[in-house]
Amino acid sequence: MSKDGAPLVTKTALITGVTGQDGAYLSKFLVDKGYEVYGTYRRLSTPNFWRLHYLNVFEKVNLLPADLIDVGSLLDAIRISHPEEVYNLAAQSFVGASFEQPVGTGEMNGISVTRLLETIRIMNPKIKFYQASTSELFGSGHLSASNEEALFRPSSPYAAAKLYSYWMTKIYREGFGIFACNGILFNHESPLRGLEFVTRKISNTVAKCALGLEKELRLGNLEAKRDWGYAPEYIETMWLMMQQKTPDDYVVATDDSHSVKEFAEKAFDVVGLDWQEHVKVDKKFLRPLDVAYLKGDSSKIRKIGWNPKVDFDGLVKIMVKEDLSRWERWQNGERFPWDASNYPGEDKILSRYQEKDK
Ligand code: NAP
Ligand code: G4F
């Protein structure tokens, strides 16, 4: 029996991008459901499994080396794992970086999805396929909540590549009868979020400010609004859509939107500091194009049983408290798997926009 008393299922799933935020949470979720879980990771010069360790799931995931741009490795991952369900989460997931590496982002977030779909079509078209689509597809110009029918106006190389893979997923569903779903997920965050994303950058820096380890938080566009939810609740929808009778596309969101400024203000509130004394705007963090406003309408996925509980305030608290606890433990000499202690200050990382200014 699983933790919630439901009978355990014995299915096999393959997750691409198992080392990322969503990959780690989804691994834990599926392992707890009784799945045999395989996960792909890419070869790096330094191991990168801290999130799987953090969730105590590293020992339970079967690891397969594969790179999105290497078709043979994807083919082997499917041949070895024999999955009933493939969750394609691997991607170049940082919108900011997509302006600096547009070609690589196109390969990884666009063409590679066709590589995977082709592999499934040829090897075993009965495999179910989940594609990590995104609210970035909606892009700029929306003034109200977006549902599955809203217009797509991608505003970054990231979003353009994800739009291509969104359509390819639909095309393989309609053209080849593959059970393929697009999860159009709005921003979802957690203490396992990468440090370059704005929410975790804020929670981590706020924690350091509270402990006297840092004084400033340098941010770009404070006015951008996002629909931010809690990642562990979002990954549940990936599984949920794959259990339906027919494949479909679903928006996943809290249906609420807040600005970066509000996030920073609330985060400093959690530790009793005034955000205005610490936040500085730095144009290094502005993008050539930015989506001003994103808010979802997730009625469709809620109709099939999704019921998230964590709201904006709750999310900010979870993230700040966890980063605070980590830095406190670090100050007490405790060492444990965690990204921030190895991360270089962002001043150390040059951007192509800085070069342009010279
Ligand atoms: P993440 O933490 O950045 O994880 C991305 C994963 O992709 C990592 O495991 C990464 O491996 C892997 N990867 C990157 N390039 C690869 C390559 N060339 N070959 C193989 N693996 C590669 O992202 P996330 O937040 O978990 O997001 C998961 C997916 O959902 C992504 O596709 C993202 O675009 C999409 N999405 C995310 C959100 C969100 O708010 N989080 C919203 C909508 C959609 P390394 O660990 O080696 O880097
Ligand atoms: O945290 P962000 O980098 O996330 P963004 O661009 O919304 O993308 C995330 O969500 C997408 C879903 O909508 C995913 F598809 C994607 O993979 C990723 O997970 O930036 C959020 C907002 C942007 O408007 C950005 O310009 O925050 C603004 N921002 C302001 N200062 C900043 C900063 N973003 C970052 N990363 N760093 C800053 O200093």
Side-chain angles (χ1 to χ4, degrees):
M1 300 288 263
S2 69
K3 274 196 302 193
D4 56 10
L8 285 177
V9 277
T10 44
K11 282 189 188 169
T12 304
L14 173 68
I15 302 171
T16 69
V18 81
T19 54
Q21 171 189 260
D22 290 6
Y25 281 121
L26 182 61
S27 300
K28 172 147 180 50
F29 178 85
L30 294 177
V31 163
D32 287 349
K33 280 212 169 296
Y35 274 63
E36 173 148 30
V37 175
Y38 290 79
T40 73
Y41 72 98
R42 57 178 167 168
R43 196 222 153 248
L44 300 171
S45 63
T46 309
N48 179 27
F49 299 110
W50 75 273
R51 293 183 176 92
L52 295 173
H53 286 295
Y54 212 84
L55 297 179
N56 278 324
V57 79
F58 178 77
E59 301 299 338
K60 295 171 189 149
V61 173
N62 303 288
L63 293 172
L64 291 163
D67 196 297
L68 286 172
I69 59 171
D70 189 292
V71 70
S73 67
L74 297 175
L75 205 138
D76 272 343
I78 289 181
R79 182 181 58 79
I80 295 165
S81 60
H82 267 295
E84 284 141 296
E85 299 171 4
V86 170
Y87 295 86
N88 183 35
L89 308 186
Q92 191 300 91
S93 71
F94 189 38
V95 174
S98 77
F99 289 99
E100 302 190 334
Q101 295 161 17
V103 177
T105 302
E107 272 288 336
M108 287 186 256
N109 297 4
I111 297 291
S112 75
V113 180
T114 309
R115 280 189 195 104
L116 257 177
L117 286 164
E118 273 294 84
T119 305
I120 288 172
R121 183 185 66 79
I122 293 163
M123 289 182 76
N124 178 6
K126 288 204 166 63
I127 294 172
K128 293 182 176 183
F129 180 77
Y130 172 88
Q131 168 57 14
S133 285
T134 162
S135 50
E136 277 288 305
L137 300 181
F138 299 119
S140 302
H142 292 276
L143 300 171
S144 57
S146 298
N147 66 12
E148 294 77 6
E149 307 307 319
L151 198 63
F152 295 135
R153 295 189 191 100
S155 304
S156 64
Y158 169 88
K162 284 278 185 178
L163 184 57
Y164 166 78
S165 47
Y166 163 89
W167 282 115
M168 290 307 280
T169 301
K170 267 174 108 75
I171 287 165
Y172 274 66
R173 177 166 81 216
E174 290 164 15
F176 299 115
I178 289 174
F179 190 111
C181 302
N182 282 293
I184 308 171
L185 271 57
F186 281 66
N187 301 50
H188 45 281
E189 319 293 314
S190 75
L192 300 189
R193 186 59 142 150
L195 279 158
E196 70 273 37
F197 297 95
V198 77
T199 55
R200 179 81 199 295
K201 179 176 169 180
I202 294 173
S203 64
N204 183 55
T205 313
V206 165
K208 290 175 85 177
C209 288
L211 298 172
L213 297 167
E214 186 73 73
K215 286 196 175 71
E216 265 186 5
L217 169 58
R218 303 187 82 81
L219 295 172
N221 182 4
L222 296 182
E223 303 309 322
K225 289 192 160 177
R226 291 290 183 274
D227 181 332
W228 280 297
Y230 184 43
E233 294 185 326
Y234 279 47
I235 54 95
E236 196 186 321
T237 69
M238 300 173 181
W239 173 81
L240 193 57
M241 38 189 112
M242 297 279 266
Q243 312 313 311
Q244 301 307 302
K245 281 214 174 75
T246 48
D248 207 342
D249 307 324
Y250 296 86
V251 159
V252 179
T254 66
D255 305 352
D256 187 19
S257 186
H258 294 272
S259 66
V260 171
K261 196 199 290 173
E262 285 172 85
F263 197 106
E265 189 175 352
K266 283 254 179 274
F268 277 103
D269 276 355
V270 174
V271 295
L273 295 175
D274 179 356
W275 73 280
Q276 298 197 58
E277 288 173 13
H278 300 274
V279 173
K280 302 273 177 302
V281 172
D282 184 337
K283 64 181 181 177
K284 173 179 174 182
F285 300 111
L286 297 175
R287 296 173 184 172
L289 268 181
D290 200 5
V291 177
Y293 173 83
L294 282 176
K295 180 173 163 178
D297 167 357
S298 58
S299 332
K300 183 172 168 181
I301 189 82
R302 287 173 198 250
K303 277 191 198 121
I304 62 166
W306 186 56
N307 184 21
K309 301 278 188 304
V310 178
D311 64 6
F312 179 69
D313 287 14
L315 174 68
V316 178
K317 268 191 209 124
I318 290 171
M319 292 183 70
V320 173
K321 286 188 171 168
E322 183 70 10
D323 272 321
L324 193 60
S325 145
R326 288 163 170 166
W327 281 113
E328 281 168 347
R329 288 152 70 192
W330 184 81
Q331 280 186 316
N332 290 329
E334 202 181 322
R335 296 293 177 261
F336 49 95
W338 171 48
D339 53 353
S341 50
N342 294 320
Y343 194 65
E346 278 181 322
D347 282 350
K348 197 160 171 55
I349 304 166
L350 296 177
S351 89
R352 62 161 60 161
Y353 319 127
Q354 269 180 311
E355 291 298 303
K356 206 168 56 184
D357 289 345
K358 280 187 183 157

